[in-house]
Amino acid sequence: MVHPKLAEVTERIVERSRASRADYVARMEAAKSSKVTRSTLACGNLAHGFAACGEQDKNTLKMMESANVGIISAYNDMVSAHQPFQHFPELIKQAVNGMGGVAQVAGAVPAMCDGVTQGQDGMELSLFSRDTIAMATAVGLSHNMFDAALCLGVCDKIVPGLLIGALSFGHLPVIFVPAGPMPSGLPNKEKARIRQEYAEGKVGRDALLQCESDSYHSAGTCTFYGTANSNQLLMEAMGLHLPGSSFINPYTPLRDELTKAAAEQVCRITSLGSDYRPLYQVIDEKAIVNGIVALLATGGSTNHTMHIIAMARAAGVIVNWDDMSDLSDVVPLLTRIYPNGSADINHFQAAGGMSLLFRELLSAGLLHEDVLTVTGNGLKDYTQEPFLEEGKLVWRAGPEASLDAEVISTAKTPFSNNGGVKVMRGNLGRSVIKVSAVPTENYVVEAPAVVLHEQDDLKALYEAGELNKDCVVVVRFQGPAAIGMPELHKLTPFLGSLQDKGYKVALVTDGRMSGASGKIPAAIHLTPEALHGGAIAKIQDGDMIRLDAHTGELTLLVDEAELATRECAIQDLSPHQFGMGREMFAGMRSLVSGAEEGASIFFGTKQ
């Protein structure tokens, strides 16, 4: 029996999406075929398609009887999370050959690292890289050679982009193949402490660099619970991963066997057999709701308040922030993973991981069990964990109780009664706030505004002592249409230091914070953005602002008559329009929709 609120929100999503979902499904139904896809190609087309294959694969493809699996890879060896993908295509090809089919690398998509670009000019391309990746995915699959696809991706914009692109080919079965997290390094709490001490001038750059190097020290995903690990959780919750595969470390026998098993499974679920499981049937309204619930129950990345909307729209499903906020009211916080706690993602995995999380949510009626996944019918399969027995991959029932109650709790005794994501509303517009890592005594801040147009300006004010007071820092002209909505990670150490000194501080911005944003109450993704005349453009230094995370109130405490007469501030954005490739994304800045519509060039309307 599902929770009444889960049923209510799901039903209103179904009703809201009825026309768009029907249109999407009709297009996918028209595209599917019981024949191998390549059979529609002319001889010259097909010859080009397998020209570089070995003779065995050429002969297989000529026979028109077996599946050809397209690999869309986000491999590069600068991004630690994606470096392990270098070896995956060979594992996949061997596994698919063993199933009588062929696998080819259909295309490669860009994969930028927000950790490298954080606070740098290149970060202004980060959000737009998602839609670029979606288009690159479509280009790779557009050769019409493939009967199924495997998507190799982990990090922030890559997985959402891969899914948006793959949903244009939703008549194909698609499995997402993760690489897994790096082994644990310097504890995240210690890393945060050293970062803050550097901001305060207590330690030098050498100490900071050593700290960062000890934290991010090998191949694999960063171990804090930011957008990359939130992506993996989402893919598993929506039934696109093999059960329990999200957080297995790279370069281990179990990781390799899971990669091969994904390749074998995608061969079993093509339209050529009797267990056809196309992507468009896996990703529906219930799957999207399951993803939202899992994200809320774990205090996942705020970036997904945009990405989920965009991914859902690609499947003809329309969700909004009110849906997320209403679900958050009834979904308990079941995990404490940094920055919402001290444990990292490896500790979460050891404490019971995804199988225990699903077991708890299912028992509370907070997930739709009756969904189609890439492995079967129903999410109960995902309460199992993968193991190797004498070198053979098997799944066993996962733990029924937490192995560390400080990391994973129960639905009856949660860390919090709600998921910690709220919609903020008021005369400044609408925004979202993540409070799962914010102490409750900091939920309410009423203080004068300190208005900035560049995140770099905060450092000078901090060092001059001008921020030694209660304040609401307002950083505007950071929205998607203005400068691509970069993450404002540079703000965190300074604001954290002020909070530790005892000041009441908060952030209001039309930009983003890191997917691992923590203890500072931050109303982010504010829409309408400043560039498009949002009320944030009318805030002046010293204006009183009230942020109340209990009630969802975000109010500029200025008389409405006075506010109506104020002119919107303007800002020269030309320094942000050139360099690091930014000039090539002018078209995206002009087309992008607002944050609540997914900040996408594909869906929604221009702000």
Side-chain angles (χ1 to χ4, degrees):
M1 187 77 175
V2 299
H3 191 285
K5 180 61 71 172
L6 186 80
E8 174 193 324
V9 172
T10 304
E11 182 55 32
R12 80 180 183 216
I13 292 171
V14 169
E15 286 302 315
R16 186 191 304 136
S17 309
R18 193 167 297 281
S20 55
R21 177 66 181 174
D23 179 66
Y24 173 74
V25 170
R27 287 188 282 115
M28 296 305 106
E29 293 278 350
K32 71 181 183 182
S33 172
S34 60
K35 299 179 180 179
V36 293
T37 302
R38 61 189 178 276
S39 66
T40 64
L41 298 179
C43 292
N45 302 140
L46 186 58
H48 278 82
F50 60 51
C53 292
E55 286 304 311
Q56 179 180 335
D57 283 351
K58 281 184 181 178
N59 289 333
T60 299
L61 293 173
K62 289 176 183 177
M63 292 296 292
M64 302 292 177
E65 294 175 352
S66 301
N68 187 23
V69 177
I71 303 167
I72 303 292
S73 176
Y75 163 74
N76 70 54
D77 62 7
M78 180 199 67
V79 179
S80 65
H82 289 205
Q83 189 270 353
F85 287 138
Q86 178 179 5
H87 307 290
F88 279 30
E90 285 308 310
L91 292 173
I92 291 167
K93 289 179 180 182
Q94 291 170 15
V96 173
N97 284 162
M99 297 291 290
V102 174
Q104 295 178 290
V105 176
V109 302
M112 68 184 297
C113 177
D114 284 6
V116 174
T117 59
Q118 199 70 256
Q120 306 297 316
D121 291 345
M123 170 55 78
E124 294 175 23
L125 305 187
S126 175
L127 180 60
F128 291 142
S129 75
R130 182 196 67 196
D131 289 1
T132 304
I133 289 161
M135 290 187 286
T137 301
V139 170
L141 295 176
S142 69
H143 296 91
N144 215 25
M145 284 281 294
F146 307 108
D147 306 291
L150 295 172
C151 291
L152 315 186
V154 171
C155 284
D156 296 20
K157 316 307 169 298
I158 294 92
V159 166
L162 286 168
L163 183 53
I164 291 168
L167 281 163
S168 287
F169 293 80
H171 60 288
L172 301 179
V174 178
I175 295 180
F176 277 66
V177 185
M182 66 177 68
S184 300
L186 186 73
N188 286 298
K189 193 172 183 179
E190 178 68 3
K191 175 184 67 179
R193 181 187 67 81
I194 295 172
R195 283 178 173 175
Q196 189 162 308
E197 288 187 353
Y198 176 77
E200 296 169 355
K202 294 178 179 178
V203 300
R205 184 179 171 85
D206 288 349
L208 179 64
L209 181 58
Q210 188 60 51
C211 152
E212 301 289 0
S213 299
D214 291 343
S215 300
Y216 311 117
H217 60 96
S218 73
T221 314
C222 306
T223 59
F224 61 85
Y225 190 42
T227 311
N229 285 317
S230 296
N231 283 339
Q232 306 317 298
L233 172 130
L234 275 178
M235 293 303 100
E236 190 160 339
M238 294 195 293
L240 292 175
H241 277 177
L242 296 188
S245 64
S246 293
F247 301 122
I248 305 299
N249 301 121
Y251 296 106
T252 61
L254 181 55
R255 174 86 276 158
D256 287 350
E257 289 305 312
L258 284 165
T259 299
K260 290 187 281 188
E264 293 169 349
Q265 179 62 13
V266 85
C267 293
R268 297 186 187 102
I269 59 175
T270 71
S271 63
L272 307 179
S274 58
D275 193 22
Y276 179 45
R277 295 172 183 269
L279 181 61
Y280 82 91
Q281 292 181 7
V282 174
I283 299 300
D284 62 5
E285 296 90 344
K286 288 182 177 180
I288 295 294
V289 169
N290 283 348
I292 295 171
V293 168
L295 189 79
L296 294 170
T298 53
S301 170
T302 53
N303 283 323
H304 279 296
T305 61
M306 293 183 295
H307 296 328
I308 287 175
I309 290 171
M311 291 187 289
R313 285 299 295 269
V317 178
I318 303 172
V319 297
N320 59 38
W321 288 348
D322 291 329
D323 299 327
M324 297 180 188
S325 188
D326 287 353
L327 287 170
S328 185
D329 287 343
V330 299
V331 174
L333 183 67
L334 299 184
T335 69
R336 286 289 189 197
I337 318 170
Y338 185 85
N340 309 323
S342 59
D344 69 7
I345 203 69
N346 291 313
H347 198 158
F348 164 73
Q349 175 73 5
M354 296 294 288
S355 65
L356 181 59
L357 176 69
F358 288 136
R359 186 181 299 278
E360 285 295 325
L361 290 172
L362 284 167
S363 68
L366 289 169
L367 288 173
H368 293 288
E369 200 281 328
D370 56 335
V371 292
L372 186 72
T373 73
V374 296
T375 60
N377 298 314
L379 270 186
K380 284 185 180 177
D381 287 350
Y382 287 75
T383 62
Q384 300 180 86
E385 292 183 325
F387 292 90
L388 289 181
E389 288 184 356
E390 298 180 355
K392 183 180 180 181
L393 181 64
V394 297
W395 273 267
R396 304 180 200 147
E400 296 186 4
S402 177
L403 302 178
D404 188 337
E406 297 299 311
V407 179
I408 305 177
S409 189
T410 68
K412 292 181 179 178
T413 59
F415 297 112
S416 171
N417 289 324
N418 60 64
V421 172
K422 276 187 172 290
V423 177
M424 305 295 286
R425 305 174 179 87
N427 60 0
L428 286 174
R430 285 165 63 89
S431 65
V432 295
I433 187 169
K434 171 183 170 182
V435 291
S436 53
V438 176
T440 54
E441 61 267 23
N442 294 325
Y443 273 32
V444 180
V445 178
E446 185 173 315
V450 175
V451 181
L452 306 174
H453 291 178
E454 301 283 352
Q455 65 171 323
D456 290 333
D457 294 342
L458 187 70
K459 180 180 180 182
L461 294 177
Y462 176 88
E463 292 176 344
E466 295 181 29
L467 297 177
N468 290 328
K469 58 185 179 182
D470 293 352
C471 60
V472 175
V473 174
V474 177
V475 188
R476 64 191 178 196
F477 294 102
Q478 306 296 307
I483 61 172
M485 210 179 193
E487 291 184 348
L488 305 175
H489 192 60
K490 282 184 176 180
L491 303 174
T492 304
F494 301 110
L495 296 178
S497 175
L498 293 171
Q499 190 182 75
D500 288 350
K501 290 177 181 179
Y503 298 114
K504 286 281 193 177
V505 293
L507 173 70
V508 173
T509 181
D510 51 7
R512 295 186 292 137
M513 287 294 284
S514 166
S517 54
K519 63 184 182 180
I520 305 300
I524 59 176
H525 308 174
L526 184 61
T527 183
E529 63 176 283
L531 183 67
H532 288 148
I536 188 175
K538 294 187 175 185
I539 301 174
Q540 297 176 359
D541 281 321
D543 284 347
M544 293 298 291
I545 295 176
R546 179 176 176 82
L547 182 155
D548 187 338
H550 292 294
T551 63
E553 176 191 358
L554 179 64
T555 305
L556 176 63
L557 301 175
V558 172
D559 181 75
E560 290 300 315
E562 178 187 341
L563 191 60
T565 64
R566 283 188 185 179
E567 295 290 328
C568 289
I570 58 173
Q571 173 72 356
D572 178 13
L573 297 175
S574 58
H576 294 273
Q577 293 171 351
F578 298 92
M580 290 296 164
R582 287 176 289 182
E583 60 273 18
M584 301 183 73
F585 288 77
M588 286 191 166
R589 290 192 294 271
S590 70
L591 291 172
V592 68
S593 62
E596 193 167 4
E597 293 186 305
S600 175
I601 65 169
F602 304 132
F603 316 110
T605 57
K606 184 179 173 181
Q607 299 177 76

